[in-house]
Amino acid sequence: MIILDPEQVSAARQGDRAALASVVQSLQHPIYGLAMRMLAHPADAEDATQEILIKIITHLGTIRDDRAAGGWALKVASRHLVGMRKRSRVEAMRMSFKDFADDLESGLAAPDDDQTDSTITAIAIEEIKIGCTLAMLTCLNRSLRIAYILGDVFEMSDSEAAEALEISAAAYRQRLSRARKEVTRFVQTTCGVVSQSAACRCENRLTAAQGSGRVTLGAPAFGLSAPATDIPKLRHQIRTLEEGRRAAALMRSNPSFPTNVGDLIMEVMK
């Protein structure tokens, strides 16, 4: 998942600041993407990314094989995100899948007719889909969550993900299987993108999301300037897949999450 130029890593280890900046820039987006999916909140993900990048910069000199630096960085990030003591704001809600399903069901309402064709509203609906899928993952404990993210969202092989998590491939497969079952069961019974029989629709969550402050029209929390997906089209595409693949396809439909955390760190280090 993380690929680094071994020559840049070698130069950075020898004190080349330009090379170090290049390494950090290569790391900031994949690490932030992992942190967002683990913590489900932009500010918490930024804080975690900053902490991870500082750990990597501080211990870069301990790498023995520059060609393996990307895998090592992923280990550092995974270990930090699984072991961090502080809960993210979304984790602190401590919702089970049942709690989350009940919350979604209680806030369904058709949007106003004058909003349905608005670009601003389309962005807000996309943000509801993103926020929902991220919050859904936090219903898993952290060990299962990161196993699912590495395997089904980032599509890493069993051996690659097991190495990143520093466990055996067999143990990883067990975690991934359990996580898949829980996520798949939830989306098949709850998510209208995945299942036609499920009640929840992203557009029908708009009123409740605005009322709770989770979504603000014209002020997207995830940095979207345009809808990343066409929800009705996505709904059709996902439902044509085999049931076992639908949940992962839903998770992978989220856009990349841009951040400049690494740039800020390099500015501070000057």
Side-chain angles (χ1 to χ4, degrees):
M1 188 188 77
I2 297 178
I3 299 175
L4 296 176
D5 183 339
E7 292 185 2
Q8 292 282 3
V9 173
S10 178
R13 292 176 59 231
Q14 295 173 39
D16 186 325
R17 294 189 64 81
L20 179 60
S22 179
V23 169
V24 171
Q25 287 174 351
S26 297
L27 289 170
Q28 64 179 346
H29 295 299
I31 289 176
Y32 181 70
L34 178 61
M36 271 296 298
R37 289 166 174 85
M38 280 293 291
L39 305 177
H41 192 284
D44 294 327
E46 286 183 0
D47 289 345
T49 300
Q50 180 173 321
E51 292 164 0
I52 292 165
L53 289 175
I54 290 172
K55 282 184 177 181
I56 289 172
I57 291 170
T58 303
H59 297 95
L60 194 62
T62 65
I63 297 176
R64 296 183 180 180
D65 183 356
D66 296 331
R67 294 169 298 179
W72 169 79
L74 181 57
K75 284 183 184 179
V76 174
S78 299
R79 190 183 306 128
H80 180 90
L81 290 166
V82 172
M84 58 188 292
R85 293 182 180 179
K86 184 180 178 181
R87 289 178 176 268
S88 74
R89 271 159 267 206
V90 179
E91 284 181 312
M93 297 177 185
R94 298 182 179 180
M95 282 197 295
S96 66
F97 281 110
K98 183 182 183 305
D99 293 333
F100 191 32
D102 291 343
D103 179 67
L104 292 175
E105 186 176 350
S106 67
L108 296 178
D112 295 336
D113 291 339
D114 61 350
Q115 289 185 324
T116 54
D117 294 327
S118 164
T119 299
I120 292 176
T121 301
I123 293 173
I125 291 171
E126 172 72 9
E127 290 224 326
I128 289 169
K129 187 265 291 183
I130 294 170
C132 183
T133 55
L134 295 177
M136 185 192 310
L137 289 176
T138 66
C139 295
L140 296 167
N141 67 43
R142 286 182 182 173
S143 294
L144 295 183
R145 192 186 318 161
I146 199 163
Y148 185 84
I149 292 167
L150 295 182
D152 275 15
V153 181
F154 294 143
E155 299 182 278
M156 295 177 64
S157 69
D158 292 354
S159 58
E160 290 170 334
E163 183 177 355
L165 300 179
E166 301 174 281
I167 59 177
S168 70
Y172 173 74
R173 285 191 292 271
Q174 286 185 333
R175 291 185 190 179
L176 179 59
S177 176
R178 182 179 167 190
R180 277 176 176 164
K181 287 178 182 177
E182 293 192 29
V183 171
T184 300
R185 185 185 305 116
F186 177 83
V187 297
Q188 286 178 344
T189 58
T190 305
C191 179
V193 175
V194 170
S195 173
Q196 190 166 356
S197 63
C200 191
R201 299 290 186 276
C202 302
E203 58 272 23
N204 291 347
R205 286 286 304 165
L206 182 59
T207 300
Q210 287 182 266
S212 66
R214 294 175 185 173
V215 167
T216 302
L217 292 180
F222 299 112
L224 299 180
S225 57
T229 58
D230 180 327
I231 298 293
K233 184 177 180 180
L234 176 67
R235 189 177 291 144
H236 172 74
Q237 290 172 338
I238 286 180
R239 288 178 187 169
T240 64
L241 301 175
E242 295 176 13
E243 284 192 359
R245 298 170 56 202
R246 292 180 187 177
L250 172 65
M251 300 295 179
R252 289 197 292 267
S253 71
N254 288 339
S256 60
F257 299 104
T259 181
N260 64 348
V261 171
D263 298 334
L264 293 174
I265 289 175
M266 294 309 299
E267 286 294 322
V268 170
M269 294 181 63
K270 285 183 178 179

